[in-house]
Amino acid sequence: MYLSKEFEKYHKRILGNDYGKLVSYFSEPQVRHSIRVNTLKTGLRSVKRLLSESNIGYGAVPWCPHGLWVDSCDLDSLWHQLGYYYVQNASSMIAPQVLGPGKRVLDLCAAPGGKTTHLAQLMGNSGTLIANEDNPSRIKALVYNVQRCGLINAKVTMLDGCRRHGWGQAFDRILVDAPCSSVGTLRQNRDIMGKWSMRWVEGLAGIQKMMLLAAYDSLAPGGRMAYSTCTTTLEENEGNIEFLLDERCGARLLRVELRGLTVRPGLTDKTFNCARVYPMDNQSDPHFIALVEKK
Ligand SMILES: C[S@@+](CC[C@H](N)C(=O)[O-])C[C@H]1O[C@@H](n2cnc3c(N)ncnc32)[C@H](O)[C@@H]1O
């Protein structure tokens, strides 16, 4: 697969020997997919039965009780239309579980709704869940998934997540699943290589910093915020978390851990508690997750 010289040089520097392993993963064709059973509509056992009846092989995603690896998945099936499951990358099942449920939850960058619907599931469809997204064309998919998955605790808003919106310190849980350079999705989306450059990464890191501050300032004292990306760069991950810790003295990092998942610490001393998720450990796409608590 084609990887630019700039990409190669940068990643060899930050990943060392693991760079080759990452490239091998990206070069392999994707043979298995993953789904999350929507327990607001059905149960794990029922979906397993449907899969068996359709001769589709499956296995457990070790870090998500309702996640299944499947040999194939059909977005047109009646069961999908009815919201019995959400087709979701297994690494995307991590952040909502690390964050955990709350009474007032904000999902700042929510479309198309994978993590919003997971959060609602963890909240038992109770409390209040604000699903925000600023891109009108992506809002459609978000609203579709909120409705399809039977959420009754969610409100969809269309606001710029880089700004504060008069919410005060309203939320006890906030997820910032930021727009990023998406290196983790290279296997599914090879077009990324066409636009990948350090200049692009630095521009994204600027947006992510604004989101982190706006989200942190909307957090109630004692509340928690999870920051996640599906990318590998220092600037978009550890660099942003260090920025937040420098800017907000009440912010402290909690250790990210999830049963069944192997994680590696953040790449800098200050971000040791963050988690880097790599395919060579979990056979799933790269991800980064930080968990911040407001004192
Ligand atoms: C990584 S995707 C979110 C995926 C989603 N959390 C899920 O699990 O399905 C990032 C989203 O942030 C949105 N976004 C970009 N800039 C934004 C902004 N300033 N405010 C709010 N959302 C923004 C993008 O349109 C995109 O839908």
Side-chain angles (χ1 to χ4, degrees), residues 108-115 133-135 138 159-161 177-179 211:
L108 194 68
C109 305
K115 297 186 187 71
E133 166 64 44
D134 84 331
N135 183 332
R138 287 175 67 90
L159 298 167
D160 179 1
D177 187 35
M211 286 181 169

Side-chain angles (χ1 to χ4, degrees), residues 36 86-88 92-93 96 107-118 132-139 142 145 157-163 165 175-180 182 204 207 210-211 228-230 287:
R36 176 175 41 79
Y86 195 104
V87 177
Q88 188 175 35
S92 294
M93 300 173 192
D107 186 355
L108 194 68
C109 305
K115 297 186 187 71
T116 298
T117 51
H118 196 176
N132 181 67
E133 166 64 44
D134 84 331
N135 183 332
S137 56
R138 287 175 67 90
I139 284 255
L142 175 61
N145 282 318
T157 56
M158 196 174 78
L159 298 167
D160 179 1
C162 295
R163 300 174 59 182
H165 293 286
L175 175 63
V176 182
D177 187 35
C180 67
S182 307
L204 286 164
I207 295 170
M210 288 194 275
M211 286 181 169
S228 61
T229 73
C230 58
H287 249 67

